[in-house]
Amino acid sequence: MYQTPKGFNDILPEDAPYWRHVTATAERVASLYGFERIDTPIIEFTEVFERGAGQGAAVVVDKEMYTFQDKDGASLTLRPEFTAGIMRAYLEHGMRVRPQPVKLYTLGPIFRHENVQAGRFRQHTQWNVEVVGEIDPAVDFEVMSIAWSLFSELGFRGLSFQVNSIGCPDPACRPRHLAALVAYFAAYRGQLNEIDRRRLDVNPLRLLDSKEKESQPLLDAAPRSIDYLCDSCRQHFQALCGYLDWAALPYEINTRLVRGFDYYTKTVFEVWAEGIGAQAAICGGGRYDGLVELLGGPPTPGIGFGSGVERLIAALKEQQVQPPALLKPTVQVSYIGKGEIGQQAKQAALGLVRELRQAGVGALLPFGDRSLKSQLKTADKAGVAHVVIVGEGELQSGQWTVRSLADSSQQAVARAELIAWLAAQQ
RNA sequence: GUGACCAUAGCUCAAUUGGCAGAGCACCUGGUUGUGGCCCAGGAGGUCGUGGGUUCGAGCCCCACUGGUCACCCCA
């Protein structure tokens, strides 16, 4: 028996209401904030993601990307993220001549070859928001606000922001912090376990969100990035926190919140929700003022976030949020009779269903010439309100039977008035 | 990439020490001509995830692979 490849999932009809809830709400909120939709290809030249990731992370990135060679020899990659592709589009289509900042959102699948665990798959769907071309901290606030609006509208309760600033590449900023961080942990090198010793050598910032037992006692006194910010970054962060205070959005300054890639600057944030295992974050984002330059463009500030739809849905279920029901047909047209009469009744039912749908009334037709009993069972399970019954008697009199499933009442309605009658019941 | 646990019908699960593959739910059909939900009866649905091995004999024991769950690594 065939199975889906590891980490790839079918999305079954049972989950459709959740998907509609999330995607429809995202679209609505985005338009409320004046964000415009962009859709980039699922495949980009591998270089877009490699250059975007920067040299340090390239090894890691290569390992987790679905990269393949096209028939003409080009190296292509299934997008492992949205931001790099959107920045490529920003440059390719000269979006810097549009009014700045450019506010974009997108929704679609991304692919990473990683091992599955709760809320993590090899293909997952992400809602992604980017604001490009403006460094004003009010933009950071705007991006966090739209995330907040989405999650509130979806029905989440008890959400909170985690915020931090990791500074910028200016020698007076992050490099100073990194040096202090390395010096601090190097002094305790003997206490670190193997994993954290490697972090110290490879990606010291990551020590700050280490889960290793041995390191926990060291974390409280570890140098915090917010204490090493340059003037520009400090003012930026203070302004952002000021806006968050003013809007009364609940947030916590989390000095251990970091990012793994070099192009991130200043603001990093997440939104956390309870109840989905180790993956508490339902949204992660940050400012990436260095990215566009890495891709060969002019210095261009940007900030954005991504939010995994599968994870959102899992969290919604965890919080027992009921998505709105999808629209369903409200009428079934059943046909009965044997032989010639049966075929006439079926044809008549076909005609009524067609007219109902044209009139905007959702209608179902039972197939396979089943017994009326069976057809009523089907109607009951489909949840329709009315069953129209057409058989020999109805064909002769022109008065068709309409059964209301709620109270089992039946009445005769003239065929000519049926459409209007049923439409009025909705 | 690492580790733990797991895989029998569409779903949830049984199957004594290795000895004839089962139940409930769901599905289909009936319970006299054209009436749903409840009930009753019947039917269909499985090469026991796949491939090897041990054995007279494997759903059960061993190995590999695939997939699932969870955690680590990593996290764009």
Side-chain angles (χ1 to χ4, degrees):
Chain A
M1 184 77 94
Y2 287 118
Q3 301 168 301
T4 55
K6 183 199 287 276
F8 291 80
N9 298 113
D10 296 312
I11 301 166
L12 299 176
E14 294 80 82
D15 270 345
Y18 287 96
W19 281 84
R20 180 70 65 82
H21 183 43
V22 172
T23 56
T25 305
E27 297 274 357
R28 189 163 49 78
V29 169
S31 60
L32 215 53
Y33 277 76
F35 281 70
E36 297 181 293
R37 176 153 182 156
I38 184 169
D39 283 282
T40 59
I42 286 173
I43 291 172
E44 299 270 358
F45 287 117
T46 303
E47 237 182 293
V48 171
F49 302 118
E50 279 181 338
R51 294 191 61 187
Q55 285 192 327
V59 183
V60 176
V61 160
D62 277 345
K63 223 166 58 178
E64 297 214 341
M65 290 200 308
Y66 281 93
T67 297
F68 61 97
Q69 208 168 54
D70 198 4
K71 289 182 180 176
D72 55 15
S75 178
L76 303 178
T77 293
L78 261 48
R79 63 184 177 206
E81 54 147 335
F82 275 116
T83 310
I86 291 175
M87 292 311 108
R88 188 225 82 232
Y90 178 88
L91 291 170
E92 180 172 349
H93 302 289
M95 292 193 197
R96 68 182 145 163
V97 306
R98 301 184 184 212
Q100 303 290 299
V102 176
K103 302 193 293 181
L104 301 168
Y105 76 97
T106 191
L107 186 71
I110 66 175
F111 304 85
R112 294 176 192 174
H113 190 99
E114 52 190 355
N115 251 334
V116 296
Q117 66 182 77
R120 273 175 85 161
F121 311 103
R122 289 184 171 178
Q123 175 183 338
H124 78 278
T125 310
Q126 229 179 59
W127 190 53
N128 196 261
V129 163
E130 314 282 355
V131 177
V132 192
E134 178 55 66
I135 194 144
D136 186 344
V139 165
D140 303 44
F141 174 67
E142 169 101 332
V143 166
M144 292 174 73
S145 297
I146 192 176
W148 191 260
S149 291
L150 172 69
F151 302 136
S152 306
E153 297 275 315
L154 284 176
F156 278 111
R157 295 177 298 271
L159 297 165
S160 68
F161 277 115
Q162 303 284 309
V163 199
N164 195 16
S165 176
I166 54 172
C168 68
D170 187 287
C173 202
R174 189 189 305 158
R176 259 176 68 228
H177 173 240
L178 277 181
L181 198 63
V182 170
Y184 174 81
F185 278 104
Y188 296 103
R189 192 179 183 90
Q191 290 182 36
L192 301 179
N193 69 11
E194 196 185 338
I195 289 172
D196 274 347
R197 251 176 274 160
R198 206 177 70 231
R199 284 196 178 108
L200 178 56
D201 297 332
V202 176
N203 196 351
L205 214 49
R206 277 280 164 192
L207 282 164
L208 289 173
D209 64 354
S210 167
K211 293 169 199 158
E212 304 307 312
K213 275 200 182 86
E214 296 85 341
S215 304
Q216 297 308 312
L218 302 174
L219 290 177
D220 280 341
R224 312 185 303 174
S225 58
I226 53 172
D227 296 327
Y228 290 82
L229 297 177
C230 63
D231 287 347
S232 156
C233 286
R234 188 182 321 109
Q235 284 161 20
H236 187 96
F237 190 54
Q238 281 170 355
L240 172 60
C241 292
Y243 290 130
L244 293 172
D245 288 330
W246 166 81
L249 291 179
Y251 71 97
E252 188 181 332
I253 294 177
N254 181 344
T255 59
R256 296 178 190 174
L257 185 63
V258 296
R259 289 279 102 113
F261 288 81
D262 290 343
Y263 58 72
Y264 276 104
T265 55
K266 295 188 171 70
T267 310
V268 296
F269 70 93
E270 292 185 349
V271 178
W272 286 4
E274 303 168 341
I276 45 173
Q279 311 297 323
I282 54 171
C283 160
R287 185 164 271 286
Y288 46 84
D289 295 338
L291 177 57
V292 174
E293 263 181 290
L294 280 177
L295 290 171
T300 309
I303 178 169
F305 70 84
S307 189
V309 176
E310 289 83 355
R311 200 180 281 184
L312 285 178
I313 289 173
L316 285 171
K317 288 178 178 174
E318 197 65 39
Q319 294 201 356
Q320 294 174 347
V321 174
Q322 289 299 319
L326 300 181
L327 247 50
K328 286 190 303 188
T330 56
V331 178
Q332 175 176 295
V333 182
S334 289
Y335 54 93
I336 42 178
K338 288 180 177 152
E340 183 67 20
I341 289 167
Q343 289 312 301
Q344 282 175 24
K346 185 177 189 174
Q347 192 66 50
L350 239 38
L352 178 57
V353 164
R354 185 178 161 91
E355 287 177 44
L356 282 168
R357 290 168 178 167
Q358 282 166 355
V361 179
L364 292 174
L365 189 76
F367 301 101
D369 304 341
R370 302 177 196 283
S371 67
L372 180 59
K373 174 184 182 137
S374 168
Q375 295 186 46
L376 283 167
K377 271 188 184 176
T378 303
D380 189 46
K381 278 167 191 152
V384 300
H386 297 279
V387 176
V388 177
I389 300 169
V390 52
E392 188 172 11
E394 286 81 3
L395 287 176
Q396 280 172 5
S397 68
Q399 297 283 312
W400 290 23
T401 304
V402 181
R403 181 179 181 84
S404 165
L405 289 193
D407 59 7
S408 301
S409 65
Q410 294 195 174
Q411 57 189 299
V413 178
R415 172 65 177 84
E417 291 157 22
L418 254 181
I419 309 284
W421 192 91
L422 288 167
Q425 301 296 314
Q426 293 203 99

